[in-house]
């Protein structure tokens, strides 16, 4: 009996020593004991695949194809994302002149959305106030970041801001792939609000709010 | 004597199976070596970036994408421009060959999961992925077993939070009572269902 207890204690200790505790970190992939249907013959996004020549499951759209889409609701009616229209290009149709005004109806919902998307996508570099003092500049990691209150940028037409977000410019990368068309115009609208906050005069405020100044 | 021995061995086997044969042991803590030493602690906690800058499809799609290397280069064309730790990122951005990140979280192929449903209904990343913002290297923090999913699906009111706090990994409700009140109101206003039928996740 004594041997049995000793053997028992040793084997329990050995199992614990070998297998460790829950939650400890390890590098090797988890063990699948019965991986019955865990791995099926289907493609997952961003995974490797032998089916396509470039070895990936996520493929770019074939040139010339159009994604199925819902139209963007502009102030002058619905427009599909593949149409040659100012809301998609930032240009006046048939020219390369930028449109002066945001084609979406400016509502408080649009500005709220713009604020959220600006904070996610632009604030790390341009800062919450758009003065170019984002965290990357503050810690001295990034040398060049535009101050969006520059006179040149304030005087840009809305379409040019949209174009810069979509395609990038100089050292700034493009954001067209990750920020949808509506969201880009929402960011433009919010950016205008930020610029106005710097340029506004006390007379621009409604009288009730003006008394709060001072 | 045989009886005590049998009980002891049987008990140890049951206890061992209970302790070890579960995703709480087999998955939690999985921390593979990644090709680039990318740190969520640096980028999210210290730089204050939002998850959706990089994982930008998480609100629209079932799948939460990993960022392409061009997105890293938005900053790293200026930040740590010649740092050897980022050599692979620069190469990937130049050639278009993706960085071979090792996948950590994965539900079996017979389970249907969807990020956008959860994220747009007030369930935060932290419930299923843990304190990502504090991780130098991402590890599997929750078991993601069927019990884990069902525990929340039975009582979503305990986990729902305001929609603008989804990516805030440090948000806490003021009190359990306040959480319950908010949760119950959210369930009514957002029409959140308590999904327990098998076909919700096994379709």
């Amino acid at each position: 009996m004594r041997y049995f207890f000793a053997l028992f204690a040793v084997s329990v200790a050995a199992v614990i020593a070998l297998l460790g505790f829950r939650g400890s970190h390890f590098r090797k992939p988890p063990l699948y004991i019965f991986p019955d249907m865990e791995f099926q013959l289907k493609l997952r996004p961003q995974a490797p695949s032998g089916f396509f020549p470039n070895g990936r499951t996520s493929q770019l759209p074939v040139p010339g194809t159009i994604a199925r889409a819902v139209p963007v609701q502009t102030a002058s009616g619905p427009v599909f994302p593949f149409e040659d229209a100012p809301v998609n290009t930032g240009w006046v149709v048939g020219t390369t002149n930028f449109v002066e005004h945001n084609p979406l109806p400016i509502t408080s919902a649009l500005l709220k959305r713009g604020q959220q998307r600006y904070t996610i996508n632009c604030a790390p570099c341009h800062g919450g106030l758009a003065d170019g003092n984002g965290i990357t500049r503050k810690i001295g990691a990034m040398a060049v970041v535009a101050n969006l209150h520059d006179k040149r940028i304030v005087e840009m037409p809305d379409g040019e801001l949209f174009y810069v977000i979509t395609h990038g410019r100089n050292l700034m990368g493009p954001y067209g792939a990750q920020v949808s068309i509506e969201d880009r115009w929402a960011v433009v609208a919010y950016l205008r609000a930020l610029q106005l906050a710097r340029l506004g005069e006390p007379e621009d405020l409604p009288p009730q709010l003006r008394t709060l100044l001072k | 004597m045989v009886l005590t021995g049998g009980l002891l061995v049987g008990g140890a086997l049951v206890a061992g199976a209970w302790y070890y044969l579960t995703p709480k042991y087999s998955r939690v803590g999985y921390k593979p070596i990644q090709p680039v030493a990318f740190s969520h602690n640096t980028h999210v906690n210290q730089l204050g970036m939002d998850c959706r800058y990089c994982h930008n499809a998480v609100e629209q799609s079932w799948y939460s994408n990993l960022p392409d290397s061009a997105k890293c280069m938005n900053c790293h064309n200026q930040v740590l421009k010649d740092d050897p730790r980022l050599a692979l990122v620069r190469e990937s951005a130049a050639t278009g060959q993706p960085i071979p990140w090792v996948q950590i979280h994965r539900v079996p192929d017979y389970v249907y999961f969807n990020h956008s449903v959860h994220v747009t209904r007030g369930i935060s990343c932290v419930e299923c992925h843990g304190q990502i913002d504090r991780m130098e290297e991402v590890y599997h923090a929750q078991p993601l077993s069927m019990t884990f999913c069902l525990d929340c699906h039975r009582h979503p009111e305990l986990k729902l939070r305001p929609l603008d706090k989804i990516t805030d990994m440090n948000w806490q409700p003021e009190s359990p009572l306040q959480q319950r009140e908010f949760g119950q109101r959210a369930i009514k206003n957002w029409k959140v269902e308590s999904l327990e039928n098998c076909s919700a996740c096994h379709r």
Side-chain angles (χ1 to χ4, degrees):
Chain A
M1 194 67 204
R2 212 173 323 129
Y3 292 118
F4 172 76
F5 278 123
L7 197 68
F8 182 75
V10 167
S11 39
V12 167
V15 165
I16 291 177
L18 209 65
L19 296 179
F21 295 101
R22 277 184 187 173
S24 48
H25 292 181
F26 55 96
R27 297 289 191 185
K28 290 221 198 71
L31 193 65
Y32 291 96
I33 298 174
F34 297 116
D36 298 326
M37 286 158 63
E38 303 221 351
F39 303 97
Q40 301 170 11
L41 277 177
K42 67 179 181 188
L43 299 188
R44 286 178 157 245
Q46 292 191 318
S49 153
F51 187 76
F52 294 104
N54 65 359
R56 305 177 207 166
T57 54
S58 304
Q59 299 290 314
L60 292 171
V62 177
T65 53
I66 308 169
R68 279 179 65 161
V70 277
V72 180
Q73 299 297 333
T74 68
S76 52
V79 179
F80 279 96
F82 48 81
E83 288 176 56
D84 179 16
V87 68
N88 297 327
T89 57
W91 287 332
V92 179
V93 180
T95 67
T96 50
N97 300 334
F98 292 110
V99 288
E100 204 54 53
H101 295 296
N102 201 323
L104 298 193
I106 308 294
T107 58
S108 75
L110 186 81
L111 284 172
K112 286 235 171 63
R113 178 81 183 166
Q115 179 178 36
Q116 190 199 34
R117 294 295 126 176
Y118 177 89
T119 312
I120 295 172
N121 290 297
C122 319
C125 298
H126 292 291
L129 301 173
D131 53 7
N133 270 326
I135 178 78
T136 42
R137 161 71 81 74
K138 272 204 199 112
I139 64 170
M142 209 165 195
V144 188
V145 184
N147 174 354
L148 302 183
H149 295 289
D150 274 355
K151 188 152 176 287
R152 184 176 61 83
I153 296 171
V154 171
E155 284 172 355
M156 275 182 186
D158 283 355
E160 187 167 0
L161 289 176
F162 177 86
Y163 187 86
V164 170
I165 304 177
T166 311
H167 301 284
R169 179 168 285 178
N170 303 338
L171 282 172
M172 175 171 148
Y175 283 78
Q178 42 187 315
V179 188
S180 72
I181 290 173
E182 281 110 323
D183 287 349
R184 271 174 262 160
W185 285 112
V187 167
V188 170
Y190 180 67
L191 196 53
R192 289 299 185 212
L194 283 178
Q195 291 172 339
L196 197 61
R198 280 274 165 103
L199 298 171
E201 299 287 337
E203 287 74 55
D204 298 340
L205 286 173
Q208 314 86 289
L209 292 178
R210 220 177 297 163
T211 54
L212 293 176
L213 287 177
K214 285 176 264 186
Chain B
M1 209 159 75
V2 175
L3 194 68
T4 23
L7 274 179
L8 219 55
V9 172
L13 283 179
V14 171
W18 169 80
Y19 191 79
Y20 287 122
L21 292 183
T22 141
K24 283 184 190 148
Y25 169 75
S26 66
R27 284 189 202 141
V28 174
Y30 175 41
K31 185 164 84 172
I33 295 177
Q34 299 288 355
V36 177
F38 174 79
S39 154
H40 280 80
N41 187 30
T42 305
H43 290 86
V44 181
N45 185 23
Q46 292 176 18
L47 297 178
M49 293 177 73
D50 192 287
C51 313
R52 290 166 290 183
Y53 183 92
C54 291
H55 306 291
N56 60 299
V58 72
E59 288 176 312
Q60 294 105 30
S61 155
W62 77 265
Y63 179 73
S64 170
N65 62 311
L66 293 191
D68 57 349
S69 41
K71 222 180 266 174
C72 313
M73 291 311 282
N74 284 341
C75 288
H76 285 289
N77 62 356
Q78 291 193 57
V79 181
L80 301 178
K81 207 159 102 205
D82 307 302
D83 196 280
R85 287 173 295 184
L86 284 150
L88 191 59
V89 179
R90 285 190 296 271
E91 187 195 313
S92 159
T95 61
Q97 269 307 314
I99 303 172
W101 301 111
V102 183
Q103 187 174 17
I104 303 160
H105 301 81
R106 186 185 193 282
V107 288
D109 278 343
Y110 55 77
V111 177
Y112 172 79
F113 177 73
N114 190 319
H115 270 99
S116 66
V117 190
H118 293 96
V119 173
T120 54
R121 287 301 186 91
I123 301 293
S124 164
C125 323
V126 74
E127 309 291 352
C128 302
H129 296 301
Q131 285 263 318
I132 292 271
D133 63 329
R134 302 291 155 132
M135 296 182 193
E136 285 298 336
E137 290 172 80
V138 181
Y139 57 85
H140 212 302
Q142 297 289 353
L144 299 185
S145 59
M146 185 159 142
T147 340
F148 171 80
C149 307
L150 283 174
D151 278 347
C152 177
H153 279 207
R154 293 204 174 104
H155 299 288
E157 70 274 12
L158 302 178
K159 304 289 186 185
L160 292 171
R161 56 166 82 185
L163 290 176
D164 53 347
K165 301 284 185 248
I166 297 301
T167 52
D168 184 348
M169 304 286 111
N170 297 303
W171 184 84
Q172 291 289 342
E174 276 159 36
S175 68
L177 189 71
Q178 196 249 3
Q179 169 67 44
R180 199 171 279 269
E181 261 169 30
F182 174 83
Q184 250 130 23
R185 220 167 345 112
I187 285 186
K188 211 177 310 125
N189 294 346
W190 304 341
K191 301 201 176 59
V192 175
E193 292 173 77
S194 172
L195 291 164
E196 292 177 50
N197 49 339
C198 317
S199 63
C201 308
H202 304 292
R203 338 192 139 185

